[in-house]
Amino acid sequence: MAFTSSTDPTLRRRRVLITGETGAGKTASFRTFPGPKFVLVFPGEKGADTLLKGDGSPVDADMTVHTWENDDKQNSSAVIEQVRKETIAALRGDYGPITTFCGDGLHKLNGYVLDALSGGQIFAGSEVKTASNQNPDVLDPRVFGQAERWLFDYLSLVNQARKLPYAVFTAWDADKATRKASKAMGEKWQDMPTAKMPALFASASRNIIGEFGCVLHASVGKVDGVDGLVHRWQTKADSKVIGCQVKAPSEVVEKIPKYVRADWRELARYLES
């Protein structure tokens, strides 16, 4: 690996994170990306039914869907290692050629990673404090940084795959404080203004935005030129939704509507024309 004078940004803009509440059409929008598509539903995620027929087969012929079968005998360390191995197998072509890799439910994977790196304390409900002081009943806060590094290394495994044209992930959103409370001002964290961001733990909820060329917020609402309410993507941040952005020159971004249909083909008209 070395520095280069220039690179094609098109591939990076095809690295997409879609966040939003349940029912916002995040998983269903996988169908709008180019096939063949490989969908990996992360352990604990339950949105894959929007992609499956009654007999369990994918709704689209160009789609392969792998879901996690719960095994109570496996601890979280074994689960996240299996996720990594399954991802490598898919990227390697073990399940056939892939144009789009889809990862469904990053927030669920984040929980398993935290539990694995905490030795099972997260799912056990251990208390979190600013310092553990070697107390086995209190979670060492450094585990959040370790979990973030694991998650971002995993994302790099997919997003930096040069022969993979598209990669798209989903996650729930959550109301997160937009700034820290000031003890000097007598502020409490409960009183801080909030905005929608990815529902990940600690600083990962904000930092993950920088890992993708497109971060889109899914919701149901109106889109200019379309009748009625539809599944849509928000492309530009505002005071209510911080977790969305498109990395492109300003002359490209300014032409993209704030809201577009939840359809990659619609957004690609602005990014790839």
Side-chain angles (χ1 to χ4, degrees), residues 43-57:
E45 179 56 32
K46 300 176 177 65
D49 286 349
T50 59
L51 304 176
L52 301 174
K53 299 177 183 178
D55 61 1
S57 62

Side-chain angles (χ1 to χ4, degrees), residues 166-225:
Y166 297 86
V168 54
F169 293 85
T170 67
W172 282 356
D173 67 4
D175 292 312
K176 299 277 188 175
T178 57
R179 64 179 179 85
K180 293 183 178 180
S182 171
K183 292 183 179 180
M185 297 292 292
E187 295 177 333
K188 297 180 180 180
W189 68 267
Q190 300 97 319
D191 301 325
M192 292 299 95
T194 63
K196 296 292 185 184
M197 285 188 274
L200 303 180
F201 289 94
S203 61
S205 64
R206 184 181 295 270
N207 294 342
I208 197 172
I209 296 172
E211 298 295 307
F212 292 88
C214 289
V215 180
L216 309 169
H217 184 261
S219 63
V220 177
K222 288 187 172 295
V223 173
D224 288 345

Side-chain angles (χ1 to χ4, degrees), residues 145-162:
Q146 296 165 357
E148 180 177 321
R149 287 192 293 275
W150 191 101
L151 187 66
F152 287 9
D153 284 346
Y154 170 77
L155 291 175
S156 294
L157 172 69
V158 180
N159 287 342
Q160 294 181 12
R162 294 184 178 183

Side-chain angles (χ1 to χ4, degrees), residues 45 53 68 79 92 115 123 129 134 147 178 215 273:
E45 179 56 32
K53 299 177 183 178
W68 177 260
V79 170
R92 193 168 53 212
D115 189 63
F123 289 170
K129 290 186 176 179
Q134 305 302 314
T178 57
V215 180
S273 60

